[in-house]
């Protein structure tokens, strides 16, 4: 909608100089969002279908396109949410394959959590870079963790869960999605035998006791 100054300023609204840029931009945004939401893609996490859409505020950088695996014996979280998103690679990334540089993901958010026996691995082309932590009695601690995955498995238990909530209205976590995006949130979550196939992650705090990094012929086991 035009502002009052747009309506009254005849010098800028003549037929020779129409104010159309903002309308065109709004149209492009609407068309792009509609195209993304029309993609018939779903991801199953703990038996719950999460629809995918653009605009979630999880990972906010250009991903490399090289996926990494995270496993843990147990994840315990206070404040949990999930919603759909798109991760983007740099233009003409060598890792984009047939994706066009965009990867459909589910963003999982943990406001405050602990992980037991964490393992993270990335395939560097025949050799794995493996990181382990939290396997000697002191758990890995995270705050405001947001991790983007295209596959998640495990045994999940939620406390006070809300399924189908608009992702822009979450109040159990600080990270939210776009208006109209299908999501779920819970007061608490416990996941055992956790496996995630991920493309990106962010965290306000990530404490890794007993950290070890090494190269190996094998990555983290599912």
């Amino acid at each position: 909608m035009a502002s009052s100054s747009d309506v009254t300023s005849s010098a800028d609204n003549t037929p020779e100089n129409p104010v159309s840029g903002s309308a065109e931009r709004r149209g492009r945004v609407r068309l792009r969002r509609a195209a993304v939401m029309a993609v018939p893609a779903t991801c199953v996490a703990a038996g719950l279908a999460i629809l995918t859409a653009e605009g979630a505020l999880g990972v906010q950088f250009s991903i490399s396109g090289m996926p990494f695996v995270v496993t843990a014996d147990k994840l315990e979280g206070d404040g949990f949410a999930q919603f759909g998103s798109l991760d983007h690679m740099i233009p003409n990334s060598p890792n984009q394959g047939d994706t066009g540089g965009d990867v459909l993901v589910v963003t999982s958010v943990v406001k405050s959590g602990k992980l037991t026996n964490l393992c993270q691995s990335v395939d560097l082309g025949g050799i794995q870079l493996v990181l382990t932590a939290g396997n000697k009695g002191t758990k890995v601690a995270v705050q405001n963790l947001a991790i983007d995955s295209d596959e998640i498995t495990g045994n999940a238990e939620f406390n006070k869960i809300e399924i189908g909530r608009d992702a822009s209205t979450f109040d159990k976590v600080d990270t939210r999605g776009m208006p109209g995006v299908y999501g779920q949130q819970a007061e608490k979550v416990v996941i055992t035998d956790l496996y995630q196939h991920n493309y990106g992650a962010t965290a306000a705090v990530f404490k890794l006791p007993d950290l070890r990094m090494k190269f190996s012929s094998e990555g983290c086991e599912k």
Side-chain angles (χ1 to χ4, degrees), residues 71-76 113-119 133-141 191-194:
T71 64
D73 290 349
K74 190 175 186 179
L75 164 67
E76 304 164 270
K114 295 185 180 298
L115 298 105
T116 304
N117 195 20
L118 173 72
C119 181
N135 55 4
K136 294 183 179 180
T138 303
K139 299 176 183 179
V140 171
I191 304 177
T192 57
D193 299 324
L194 175 66

Side-chain angles (χ1 to χ4, degrees), residues 50-56 82-86 105-107 167 177 181-183:
I50 312 297
L51 300 183
T52 56
E54 184 183 22
Q82 282 184 322
F83 50 90
S85 182
L86 274 177
V105 294
V106 169
T107 298
V181 173
Y182 178 101

Side-chain angles (χ1 to χ4, degrees), residues 56-68:
L57 301 177
V59 174
Q60 299 181 62
F61 51 80
S62 296
I63 61 169
S64 69
M66 298 177 66
F68 59 97

Side-chain angles (χ1 to χ4, degrees), residues 120-219:
Q120 176 181 301
S121 63
V122 57
D123 189 342
L124 300 178
I127 188 168
Q128 300 276 341
L129 176 59
V130 180
L131 176 154
T132 58
N135 55 4
K136 294 183 179 180
T138 303
K139 299 176 183 179
V140 171
V142 296
Q143 291 182 17
N144 293 327
L145 171 70
I147 192 162
D148 288 358
S149 317
D150 65 354
E151 182 182 359
I152 307 171
T153 64
N155 301 304
E157 178 181 340
F158 302 97
N159 182 265
K160 295 184 179 180
I161 191 170
E162 299 171 346
I163 302 171
R165 180 163 176 156
D166 189 299
S168 69
T169 68
F170 289 153
D171 56 13
K172 305 298 184 186
V173 296
D174 296 329
T175 302
R176 299 174 180 86
M178 289 287 288
V181 173
Y182 178 101
Q184 64 181 21
Q185 69 169 1
E187 192 170 279
K188 293 181 181 293
V189 63
V190 176
I191 304 177
T192 57
D193 299 324
L194 175 66
Y195 170 90
Q196 295 178 319
H197 188 265
N198 304 319
Y199 281 92
T202 61
V205 175
F206 207 166
K207 295 183 179 180
L208 299 166
D210 304 307
L211 170 66
R212 183 185 181 191
M213 296 182 68
K214 64 178 181 178
F215 291 103
S216 175
S217 59
E218 298 181 352

Side-chain angles (χ1 to χ4, degrees), residues 62-111:
S62 296
I63 61 169
S64 69
M66 298 177 66
F68 59 97
V69 168
V70 169
T71 64
D73 290 349
K74 190 175 186 179
L75 164 67
E76 304 164 270
D78 291 323
F80 176 80
Q82 282 184 322
F83 50 90
S85 182
L86 274 177
D87 280 353
H88 307 282
M89 303 176 206
I90 61 172
N92 302 313
S93 169
N95 299 320
Q96 70 181 31
D98 59 0
T99 67
D102 297 325
V103 181
L104 291 162
V105 294
V106 169
T107 298
S108 301
V109 182
V110 177
K111 187 171 184 178

